[in-house]
Amino acid sequence: MKSSPRILVIMGSVRLQRISPLLADWVANVGRLCLPEAIFELVDLRNWPLPMMDEPAIPAHAADYSTPHAQAWSQKIASADAFVFVTPQYNWGYPAALKNALDHLYHEWQHKPALIVSYGAHGGDKCAAQLRQVLTALSLHVTEQHVALTLSSEQILRNDGYIALPEAVQSQGAALQTGLMELRQLLR
């Protein structure tokens, strides 16, 4: 393992009213406590506008990207040693922006550890299962531990971009720590 592994915490939601920045920040803060040797960086997909499939080549066949945004995204992902995906569950799936960000690249993801943190009215288990399939297809090493944050109907219907973190995450704090320890083991 590198002396200071770089772990990107990728926010899967780009909606205007969203809680993924709050949850991603919680993940990074817990990560810094559990893995003090690691560097945690938040990556907001809202700051990475990636038009749908605008590269002429298939990423799995060539990593010679022609657009500046794909080149920058490639450099960002290639610079990471591991990932934590923080994603909401939308209609039992994960957001299109996250799928597009994954599909923009191929080789840059390969053989790196990943942890999934999902959230929603039912914890996001269905979106996590779908995301696990895609990450596995990209040859990422996905932790067995998955963090599923169940939000109340009130929190979801309020949709104001705010969530009371202690209330929302306290039941999954141990799961996150276990997932981060597993991520550490996969980094070796």
Side-chain angles (χ1 to χ4, degrees):
M1 178 169 68
K2 287 169 65 174
S3 60
S4 297
R6 182 183 174 114
I7 300 172
L8 300 184
V9 180
I10 299 177
M11 298 176 223
S13 176
V14 297
R15 286 187 175 172
L16 292 178
Q17 299 291 344
R18 62 200 176 131
I19 59 170
S20 61
L22 293 169
L23 295 176
D25 192 50
W26 168 70
V27 167
N29 287 334
V30 173
R32 290 180 189 108
L33 293 173
C34 290
L35 285 73
E37 70 278 10
I39 298 166
F40 284 82
E41 178 184 345
L42 299 177
V43 176
D44 189 344
L45 291 181
R46 194 186 279 177
N47 298 330
W48 291 90
L50 299 166
M52 296 290 284
M53 299 299 163
D54 66 338
E55 282 291 323
I58 297 170
H61 297 159
D64 185 21
Y65 304 107
S66 61
T67 60
H69 53 267
Q71 292 166 357
W73 184 237
S74 171
Q75 290 173 358
K76 173 61 76 180
I77 298 308
S79 74
D81 299 300
F83 307 96
V84 179
F85 294 94
V86 179
T87 182
Q89 178 169 287
Y90 296 157
N91 302 317
W92 290 5
Y94 61 96
L98 179 53
K99 177 70 165 122
N100 185 48
L102 291 166
D103 287 347
H104 250 75
L105 308 174
Y106 184 77
H107 300 285
E108 297 84 349
W109 300 112
Q110 290 192 313
H111 311 296
K112 296 179 180 179
L115 169 64
I116 299 169
V117 177
S118 63
Y119 60 94
H122 303 285
D125 288 335
K126 292 184 185 301
C127 86
Q130 291 174 15
L131 182 55
R132 177 181 296 279
Q133 288 179 328
V134 171
L135 297 179
T136 301
L138 290 169
S139 298
L140 281 109
H141 303 292
V142 185
T143 62
E144 290 296 320
Q145 181 66 55
H146 151 237
V147 181
L149 301 168
T150 300
L151 306 179
S152 69
S153 296
E154 177 189 331
Q155 291 168 322
I156 293 169
L157 293 174
R158 193 172 59 232
N159 192 33
D160 61 1
Y162 174 77
I163 188 170
L165 278 182
E167 173 190 320
V169 301
Q170 84 186 60
S171 70
Q172 289 295 305
L176 178 57
Q177 291 174 12
T178 300
L180 289 166
M181 292 298 108
E182 191 178 343
L183 196 69
R184 172 191 269 160
Q185 290 299 320
L186 291 171
L187 277 165
R188 295 176 191 250

